[in-house]
């Protein structure tokens, strides 16, 4: 299974938005939201501030907000909550001098949660792409900046389809570069990485901590400890989340009945899947599918 392609299929059901922002000092704060997005610094310098140490950013750097965590971009390093909140909505960039400029792209997922892959990554990832080695990313940034420059106030023919495609491709490139720099997902232990691949490729399998530790080739207790440290969740919690993400994907992309989806994602009956799905997403599978169709996503 191509994990990055699965991420793209999961997030593209959300509403796609892009905006070019010319920011004056002191900076701006973004509240938490249900979805995933990124910022591309196009001019000037700033700092990424969150709940860890501030990270300096230069033109070309990209910040990935994997699961919509609260964060800010600041002209100088400082406390996150000292920054004013960003006013959301369609706005053209303000004229005049600015401390820095950046393009934002985001998928808002309403009641749906970001895919398990992204939730396993850090909430904020800063990447300094190799534009010379990946000239296609430079072209994508140019396209995104052109579409985002109107701030959503000007709707050109095909703009929504173009925007979704560009957001998809930028997200793919950023995840690829993060993958190359840090591994999937920041997993240094080969055994834990092998277990993750098996979970993703075989959600229908009757996984237990014991069977996953055998895949990893290590004692059960050691595997559970290393997996939790690497991924941020115990093994079976991750398995459940991934199964429900796959179920949500099948509900979005196919007309397959819940009774047939259940065994494909590791549930013995549609009733068991429905109960687990409602706990995770807050709605029944039937309503989840109906809302997607009503919204045209």
């Amino acid at each position: 299974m191509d994990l990055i392609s699965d991420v793209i299929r999961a997030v593209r059901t959300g509403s796609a938005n892009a905006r070019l922002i010319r920011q004056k000092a002191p900076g701006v704060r973004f509240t938490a939201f249900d979805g995933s997005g990124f910022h591309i610094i196009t001019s000037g310098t700033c700092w990424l501030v969150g709940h860890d140490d501030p990270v300096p950013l230069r033109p070309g750097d990209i910040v990935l907000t994997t699961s919509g965590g609260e964060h800010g971009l600041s002209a100088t390093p400082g406390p996150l909550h000292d920054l004013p909140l960003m006013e959301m909505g369609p706005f053209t960039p303000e004229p005049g001098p600015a401390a820095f400029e950046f393009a934002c792209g985001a998928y808002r997922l309403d009641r749906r949660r970001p895919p398990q892959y992204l939730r396993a990554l850090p909430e904020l990832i800063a990447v300094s792409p190799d534009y010379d080695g990946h000239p296609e990313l430079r072209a994508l940034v140019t396209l995104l900046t052109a579409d985002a420059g109107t701030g959503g106030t000007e709707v050109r023919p095909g703009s929504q389809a173009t925007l979704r495609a560009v957001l998809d491709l930028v997200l793919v490139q950023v995840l690829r570069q993060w993958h190359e720099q840090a591994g999937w997902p920041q997993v240094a232990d080969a055994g834990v990485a092998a277990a993750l691949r098996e979970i993703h490729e075989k959600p229908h399998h009757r996984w237990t901590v014991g069977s996953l530790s055998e895949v990893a080739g290590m004692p059960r207790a050691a595997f559970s400890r290393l997996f939790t440290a690497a991924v941020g969740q115990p093994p079976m919690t991750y398995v459940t989340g991934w199964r429900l993400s796959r179920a949500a994907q099948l509900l979005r992309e196919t007309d397959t009945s819940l009774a047939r989806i259940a065994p494909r994602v590791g549930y013995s009956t549609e009733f068991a899947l429905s109960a687990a799905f409602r706990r995770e997403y807050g709605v029944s599978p039937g309503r989840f599918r109906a809302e997607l169709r009503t919204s045209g996503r």
Side-chain angles (χ1 to χ4, degrees):
M1 177 182 293
D2 183 343
L3 299 178
I4 292 179
S5 293
D6 187 80
V7 169
I8 300 304
R9 285 194 297 269
V11 298
R12 68 156 57 109
T13 60
S15 56
N17 301 279
R19 181 177 165 190
L20 186 65
I21 299 171
R22 294 176 54 79
Q23 187 61 50
K24 299 177 181 179
V28 67
R29 173 164 51 98
F30 295 86
T31 58
F33 71 99
D34 292 326
S36 301
F38 54 81
H39 309 299
I40 304 174
I41 309 304
T42 55
S43 68
T45 60
C46 60
W47 295 77
L48 169 65
V49 293
H51 301 289
D52 296 319
D53 292 336
V55 176
L57 301 172
R58 299 179 300 173
D61 287 349
I62 300 177
V63 175
L64 176 62
T65 57
T66 56
S67 50
E70 184 182 34
H71 63 285
L73 296 178
S74 177
T76 58
L80 173 61
H81 287 278
D82 285 353
L83 297 174
L85 277 175
M86 166 58 69
E87 184 178 359
M88 307 309 292
F91 299 100
T92 54
E94 292 186 6
F100 55 94
E101 180 182 275
F102 60 103
C104 291
Y107 282 106
R108 292 184 175 272
L109 299 178
D110 301 326
R111 69 171 73 252
R112 292 164 289 282
R113 301 177 65 188
Q116 190 76 356
Y117 175 97
L118 292 180
R119 281 185 275 152
L121 294 174
E123 282 193 350
L124 296 171
I125 293 174
V127 177
S128 296
D130 177 8
Y131 287 99
D132 292 333
H134 299 273
E136 65 276 13
L137 182 54
R138 191 184 303 279
L140 289 172
V141 171
T142 300
L143 285 171
L144 178 65
T145 303
D147 268 350
T150 64
T153 59
E154 178 184 337
V155 179
R156 295 179 293 176
S159 60
Q160 189 59 223
T162 301
L163 177 59
R164 286 180 179 274
V166 173
L167 290 184
D168 286 354
L169 291 170
V170 172
L171 185 54
V172 166
Q173 291 295 328
V174 174
L175 288 173
R176 281 178 179 171
Q177 299 228 1
W178 173 250
H179 176 91
E180 292 170 1
Q181 294 173 13
W184 187 93
Q186 281 196 307
V187 174
D189 186 272
V192 172
L196 280 166
R197 284 193 294 271
E198 287 293 293
I199 292 169
H200 277 252
E201 292 174 4
K202 301 173 184 176
H204 59 277
H205 191 82
R206 294 184 177 276
W207 293 116
T208 64
V209 175
S211 62
L212 287 169
S213 68
E214 291 178 4
V215 170
M218 64 180 71
R220 173 173 170 158
F223 166 75
S224 184
R225 183 174 62 254
L226 285 173
F227 188 101
T228 303
V231 177
Q233 295 177 328
M236 296 314 297
T237 300
Y238 188 91
V239 168
T240 297
W242 178 246
R243 284 171 171 167
L244 294 173
S245 291
R246 289 286 290 134
Q249 180 185 329
L250 291 168
L251 288 166
R252 284 190 300 267
E253 298 179 358
T254 75
D255 292 322
T256 305
S257 68
L258 195 63
R260 296 185 64 183
I261 290 174
R264 292 175 61 178
V265 296
Y267 286 87
S268 56
T269 68
E270 62 183 296
F271 305 106
L273 173 57
S274 182
F277 193 93
R278 187 185 290 273
R279 285 194 297 270
E280 176 77 359
Y281 289 92
V283 295
S284 68
R287 183 176 174 186
F288 178 87
R289 176 178 268 169
E291 287 182 350
L292 286 172
R293 292 179 176 175
T294 300
S295 63
R297 294 174 184 168

